[in-house]
Amino acid sequence: MRHRKYERQKARKKQRVLEAAASSAVVDGGEAVNASASASGADDSAATTTANNTVTTGGVMGGPRKRDLLIERLTRGMQEGINICVDLSYDDTIHNYRERCSLVKQLTLVYAYLKQSPASMHLHLASINPASPLTEKLHKMGFENWYASRHEGRPESVWDPSRIVILSPDATETLETLESDKIYVIGGIVDRTVRKAATLTTAQQIGAQTRRLPLREHLGSLVTHVLNVDHVFRILCDYQETKSWKEAIVRQVPARRIQQDTADTTATADITSRNICNDIAVADSAADKSNADTDQTPEAVEELPVASS
């Protein structure tokens, strides 16, 4: 009885070996056995592997090729794009802890939109103090790997003041277009507390031009003309893409900024619907990796290979 059981087990084992050999198309002496089945299986396997790699490699961009195209576009923007600078010199004197966290959050959204926008832009961060709490928080976000230029000096020490255009809601002249030889400076100030004429005063001190975004020309009355750093950056990107201030502003100005009793209701409706789409699109790359932490610690931005400053 025991002998017959052993024979049955041996026969089943031999059958499994033969089946495995047939299905895997064993190669003997350099000749493929069951070549057609093997080729078909290999093709299916390769296709599956390629598809998997496309989905899982390259983060939010969807694949290595798209990732390479992103890096190529960001690098080209650093070489020939419109220069947009965020001046961080206000941090040491007028930001508390909560505002500093908010500014870091806005800067990560700026970089997230830079990666999303087709506009050719060169992002600069100026007045970086290596020992400041703000810089420490930015390092945690991996900003040293961003495709952006970093400067410890203030804008007027990096560029000739005649090339600098400081964007200020208190300026009397509107910004009409973006020029490749100018440096457009956004003050790194959060809008929790509106600080009257802070950027205008800076411009007067260094002898730079000032311009304001044409918000009231396209939206009428606003609750405030002070926008977040990331909203200003997004408007500039969209203008560079569309060459239409109205379209860029309607896309990016938050609906809460509009005075409902005096604003154009059609523009307000457009802003509300577009903001919903924009908030979803821009926040995805950052929010997917967010720790959702309650003390306002901002989420990290997906790292790309290190860019030279």
Side-chain angles (χ1 to χ4, degrees):
M1 178 70 70
R2 187 175 299 174
H3 178 71
R4 287 196 299 272
K5 182 178 180 180
Y6 172 75
E7 289 296 330
R8 286 196 299 271
Q9 290 175 345
K10 186 175 180 180
R12 285 196 296 268
K13 183 177 180 180
K14 183 176 180 180
Q15 182 63 27
R16 285 197 298 270
V17 170
L18 292 174
E19 291 174 355
S23 63
S24 60
V26 177
V27 176
D28 185 16
E31 295 294 327
V33 179
N34 198 6
S36 61
S38 177
S40 175
D43 288 344
D44 292 343
S45 176
T48 302
T49 303
T50 301
N52 289 339
N53 286 340
T54 300
V55 172
T56 60
T57 305
V60 297
M61 293 308 298
R65 176 57 181 161
K66 289 187 178 181
R67 188 184 181 88
D68 291 343
L69 291 174
L70 170 62
I71 293 173
E72 179 183 341
R73 178 170 59 78
L74 293 176
T75 303
R76 186 169 59 252
M78 293 182 68
Q79 296 169 348
E80 56 190 42
I82 297 295
N83 293 287
I84 308 296
C85 174
V86 181
D87 183 8
L88 305 179
S89 63
Y90 303 93
D91 173 65
D92 294 335
T93 57
I94 57 178
H95 282 116
N96 58 35
Y97 174 80
R98 187 180 182 189
E99 290 175 328
R100 186 173 293 117
C101 289
S102 180
L103 177 57
V104 172
K105 171 70 173 181
Q106 291 178 34
L107 291 173
T108 60
L109 292 175
V110 163
Y111 189 62
Y113 200 72
L114 176 68
K115 294 195 297 179
Q116 174 187 323
S117 173
S120 181
M121 312 298 272
H122 184 177
L123 175 64
H124 299 262
L125 299 178
S127 308
I128 296 175
N129 179 358
S132 74
L134 175 66
T135 304
E136 181 181 351
K137 290 182 179 298
L138 285 172
H139 277 299
K140 291 180 179 179
M141 298 300 103
F143 92 119
E144 66 276 6
N145 297 327
W146 292 3
Y147 278 74
S149 295
R150 295 164 288 279
H151 313 278
E152 292 187 12
R154 294 170 64 99
E156 64 270 23
S157 67
V158 179
W159 301 282
D160 189 309
S162 64
R163 296 181 58 199
I164 296 175
V165 178
I166 294 183
L167 301 179
S168 171
D170 303 298
T172 56
E173 297 184 57
T174 59
L175 183 63
E176 295 182 357
T177 188
L178 298 178
E179 302 176 35
S180 59
D181 62 334
K182 299 294 186 182
I183 315 298
Y184 298 93
V185 177
I186 305 171
I189 306 173
V190 299
D191 65 344
R192 295 184 188 280
T193 303
V194 177
R195 298 176 173 90
K196 187 69 175 176
T199 49
L200 182 62
T201 301
T202 299
Q204 293 171 343
Q205 290 173 346
I206 68 173
Q209 302 177 60
T210 58
R211 295 290 186 275
R212 62 174 177 82
L213 296 177
L215 300 178
R216 61 178 67 99
E217 285 78 4
H218 297 292
L219 294 180
S221 298
L222 296 173
V223 175
T224 175
H225 292 275
V226 179
L227 299 177
N228 286 1
V229 173
D230 56 304
H231 290 140
V232 176
F233 182 80
R234 287 157 65 165
I235 289 172
L236 296 176
C237 287
D238 284 11
Y239 170 77
Q240 183 63 11
E241 176 191 354
T242 65
K243 301 303 181 184
S244 168
W245 283 117
K246 182 174 183 179
E247 184 172 348
I249 289 169
V250 168
R251 278 185 186 179
Q252 300 298 349
V253 172
R256 67 180 184 275
R257 302 292 191 188
I258 309 301
Q259 289 183 350
Q260 299 296 333
D261 55 341
T262 58
D264 174 40
T265 55
T266 303
T268 304
D270 282 346
I271 289 169
T272 303
S273 61
R274 288 175 188 246
N275 281 171
I276 292 172
C277 297
N278 286 338
D279 288 345
I280 293 172
V282 176
D284 274 349
S285 61
D288 285 347
K289 296 187 177 183
S290 171
N291 293 324
D293 126 2
T294 57
D295 69 352
Q296 296 190 14
T297 301
E299 65 266 29
V301 173
E302 178 204 7
E303 293 185 2
L304 293 173
V306 178
S308 56
S309 297

